[in-house]
Amino acid sequence: MLKFIKGNLEAIDGVTIYPIISLLIFFIFFVALFWWVFTAKKEHINEVSQLPLDQNQENNEL
């Protein structure tokens, strides 16, 4: 099965660019994610982490 796929892909001109593009997208996404995680404000992280708990407390009060 792999030989069949590999043989078809080798016949396509310029197919070698797709793995490079996918690696770049993967790398850029995770670098941006790490940057956001390390630069996020602690107050925002704490507020978002308490959202499910706040919602449960509001429902119990009704």
Side-chain angles (χ1 to χ4, degrees):
M1 179 77 177
L2 188 58
K3 289 182 182 181
F4 178 72
I5 294 171
K6 187 178 177 184
N8 285 337
L9 288 177
E10 287 176 348
I12 301 172
D13 289 334
V15 77
T16 57
I17 194 73
Y18 293 113
I20 295 169
I21 291 172
S22 63
L23 180 65
L24 285 175
I25 291 171
F26 177 82
F27 183 74
I28 290 169
F29 173 78
F30 280 102
V31 166
L33 185 66
F34 283 133
W35 175 77
W36 180 81
V37 166
F38 288 120
T39 60
K41 294 181 181 178
K42 297 255 183 206
E43 295 85 21
H44 175 70
I45 301 291
N46 289 333
E47 179 183 344
V48 172
S49 69
Q50 294 297 322
L51 281 177
L53 300 175
D54 291 342
Q55 190 176 28
N56 283 338
Q57 289 176 356
E58 290 175 8
N59 289 339
N60 290 336
E61 292 174 359
L62 297 175

